[in-house]
């Protein structure tokens, strides 16, 4: 999105050509968000504001799209289950950290999430064709693994006779061809080679199973760790909702099957199955509504008290997670501090090398500044090789590097500590990212720095 907004048609300057990543990704989502953000970026450039404001703008547009999809889904929840279930759906969603946290993150999973939520809305509305079309678009363009959700939902639509087999085949083939044609056209131009990105992703993750090189989890991890942390109070309520209202069962089962099928892949991350959360929240909202309506009855009164207690516990967990996430971007804070402290260091080019850890902890091209700053993300440089290079500054995870002076360190979230004193919960931080200056630079040697 940065390159589209700032380099426009000069594709040779785009970052992905030098750092393509493990697998290619489509430009379609980035193009759509950039187009909507371009008026705001024009104003930002006119006022000579830092590029980080453009980052805020693109993330607000993306978040607005996801929230708009959630709003439309909420409307369909009200039509199908009533206003009270809708109200509890909103409350439970607002209590959860991860879904809203991911809403503004420019990942293929999140572009797909918006389409999946819209598909759920049309599924509730009874529009089977639109449901399939949205899921096919998400599968072929943004996340090939959405196929694991498309399959169970498509099967449910066929078994309930919501759509005929011939209609499903016709809709599926036509939509898939259009979507594949679109991504081939756009991404072949942007990547400068004939390319269907999600086909390569499917081959890499599912056929070659190379995603496991980035870590593995047990088969049950989604059900025993990721989903409980995401749903919080909605997790037990979701199970109760299945018992209280059979109407939700036809919606939960396909989504549960999606998570179950995904569990077979060794490499697991919450963002892979984040599209399941809205449906589970609906089931939880049904349970919460029923408990609230019967709160004056003897047994239900205790259930209501337990539910209220879990709501406050969930609120506390969300607050703690929010505070932890706030301190989880030491790379970005390090670059920002270097720009502020070293802005008068020299009129000549100042080269900053950013290692992989720093880049993954908050630094993006939106964080870059103008002359004299220049940036390198060259990978594979050994620690002992840095002093042979002509970098002015280094931002990385190593506390000591030959030929460089450690100027300052930036702390990041480490772990949660439970104490007997007040406050009972402490968030502990430790040095995560270090900023080093080349000792050959006279300004660095004769200036005061915070130190490490």
């Amino acid at each position: 999105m940065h390159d589209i907004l700032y380099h426009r048609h000069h594709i040779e300057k785009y970052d992905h050509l030098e750092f393509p990543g493990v697998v290619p990704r489509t430009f379609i989502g980035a193009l759509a968000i950039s187009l909507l953000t371009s008026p705001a970026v024009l104003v930002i450039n006119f006022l000579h504001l830092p590029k980080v404001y453009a980052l805020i703008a693109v993330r607000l547009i993306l978040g607005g799209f996801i929230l708009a999809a959630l709003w439309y889904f909420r409307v369909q929840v009200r039509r199908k289950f009533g206003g009270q279930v809708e109200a509890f759906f909103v409350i439970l969603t607002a209590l959860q950290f991860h879904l809203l946290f991911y809403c503004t993150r420019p990942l293929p999973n999140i572009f797909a999430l918006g389409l999946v939520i819209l598909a759920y809305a049309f599924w509730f509305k009874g529009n089977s064709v639109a449901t399939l079309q949205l899921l096919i678009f998400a599968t072929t363009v943004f996340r090939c693994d959405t196929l694991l959700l498309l399959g169970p939902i498509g099967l449910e639509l066929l078994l309930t006779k919501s759509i005929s087999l011939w209609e499903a085949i016709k809709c599926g083939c036509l939509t898939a061809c259009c979507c594949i044609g679109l991504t081939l056209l756009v991404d072949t131009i942007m990547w400068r080679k004939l390319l269907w990105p999600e086909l390569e992703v499917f081959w890499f993750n599912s056929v070659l199973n190379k995603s496991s090189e980035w870590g593995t989890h047990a088969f049950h991890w989604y059900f025993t760790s990721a989903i409980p942390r995401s749903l919080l109070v909605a997790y037990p309520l979701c199970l109760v909702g299945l018992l209280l209202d059979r109407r939700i069962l036809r919606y939960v089962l396909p989504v549960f099957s999606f998570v179950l099928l995904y569990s077979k892949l060794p490499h697991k991350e919450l963002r892979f199955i984040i599209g399941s959360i809205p449906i589970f929240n609906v089931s939880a909202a049904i349970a919460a509504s029923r408990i609230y309506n019967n709160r004056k009855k003897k047994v239900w009164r205790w259930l209501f008290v337990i539910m209220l207690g879990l709501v406050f516990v969930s609120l506390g967990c969300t607050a703690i997670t929010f505070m932890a996430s706030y301190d989880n971007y030491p790379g970005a804070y390090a670059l920002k501090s270097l720009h502020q402290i070293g802005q008068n260091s020299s009129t000549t080019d100042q080269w900053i090398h950013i290692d992989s850890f720093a880049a993954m902890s908050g630094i993006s091209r939106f964080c870059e500044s103008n002359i004299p700053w220049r940036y390198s993300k060259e990978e594979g440089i050994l620690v002992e090789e840095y002093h042979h290079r002509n970098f002015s500054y280094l931002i990385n995870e190593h506390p000591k590097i030959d030929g460089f002076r450690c100027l300052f360190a930036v702390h990041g979230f480490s772990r949660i500590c439970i104490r007997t004193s007040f406050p009972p919960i402490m968030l502990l931080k430790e040095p995560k990212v270090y900023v080093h200056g080349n000792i050959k630079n006279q300004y660095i040697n004769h200036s005061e720095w915070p130190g490490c």
Side-chain angles (χ1 to χ4, degrees), residues 70-100:
L70 278 170
W71 171 83
Y72 188 63
F73 179 55
R74 187 204 75 184
V75 171
Q76 304 311 317
V77 170
R78 181 178 70 237
R79 288 178 178 174
K80 196 163 191 70
F81 297 102
Q84 194 164 283
V85 172
E86 174 207 8
F88 277 107
F89 171 77
V90 173
I91 291 169
L92 292 172
T93 302
L95 278 174
Q96 297 160 354
F97 171 80
H98 292 91
L99 180 62
L100 297 179

Side-chain angles (χ1 to χ4, degrees), residues 118-345:
L118 287 175
Y120 289 155
F122 284 107
W123 190 17
F124 276 29
K125 195 175 181 179
N127 190 336
S128 303
V129 172
T131 302
L132 292 178
Q133 287 174 334
L134 287 163
L135 290 174
I136 291 168
F137 193 104
T139 301
T140 55
V141 175
F142 293 115
R143 285 297 302 189
C144 60
D145 42 32
T146 310
L147 181 66
L148 299 177
L149 180 62
L150 171 62
I153 290 179
L155 184 61
E156 188 275 337
L157 293 175
L158 289 172
L159 292 176
T160 57
K161 298 182 179 179
S162 300
I163 191 172
S164 68
L165 180 60
W166 170 244
E167 278 184 302
I169 293 173
K170 185 172 65 173
C171 167
C173 292
L174 184 60
T175 306
C177 288
C178 291
C179 293
I180 293 169
L182 176 64
T183 187
L184 277 172
L185 175 64
V186 172
D187 295 309
T188 295
I189 294 172
M190 302 306 291
W191 286 90
R192 295 186 163 184
K193 62 180 179 179
L194 184 63
L195 180 68
W196 174 14
E198 284 311 298
L199 181 61
E200 290 203 14
V201 174
F202 175 78
W203 185 262
F204 183 88
N205 287 341
S206 302
V207 179
L208 301 179
N209 196 25
K210 286 192 175 183
S211 61
S212 57
E213 296 175 7
W214 277 259
T216 61
H217 288 93
F219 179 84
H220 56 78
W221 185 79
Y222 284 131
F223 298 102
T224 58
S225 180
I227 294 177
R229 284 186 288 110
S230 304
L231 295 181
L232 300 173
V233 63
Y235 190 55
L237 288 176
C238 172
L239 302 176
V240 176
L242 293 174
L243 301 174
L244 296 178
D245 194 331
R246 291 186 177 181
R247 291 178 299 170
I248 195 62
L249 191 63
R250 62 174 289 196
Y251 300 105
V252 171
L253 277 181
V255 176
F256 174 82
S257 301
F258 159 65
V259 180
L260 192 66
L261 290 169
Y262 222 128
S263 297
K264 291 182 68 65
L265 194 67
H267 179 59
K268 296 177 174 65
E269 293 184 44
L270 170 61
R271 61 190 174 98
F272 295 164
I273 52 98
I274 198 166
S276 64
I277 292 176
I279 291 293
F280 292 150
N281 279 345
V282 175
S283 180
I286 290 170
S289 176
R290 188 72 64 88
I291 292 171
Y292 177 80
N293 287 337
N294 294 281
R295 67 189 183 280
K296 294 182 180 179
K297 297 178 182 178
K298 190 173 182 180
V299 177
W300 291 87
R301 186 185 305 136
W302 289 107
L303 290 174
F304 180 67
V305 171
I306 293 170
M307 183 178 76
L308 279 180
L310 290 175
V311 165
F312 284 109
V313 170
S314 298
L315 188 60
C317 290
T318 297
I320 291 169
T321 312
F322 170 78
M323 290 187 290
S325 72
Y326 184 81
D327 293 319
N328 220 18
Y329 299 95
Y333 293 130
L335 184 60
K336 180 182 178 182
S337 298
L338 179 58
H339 284 155
Q340 292 172 342
I341 299 173
Q343 60 184 345
N344 297 320
S345 61

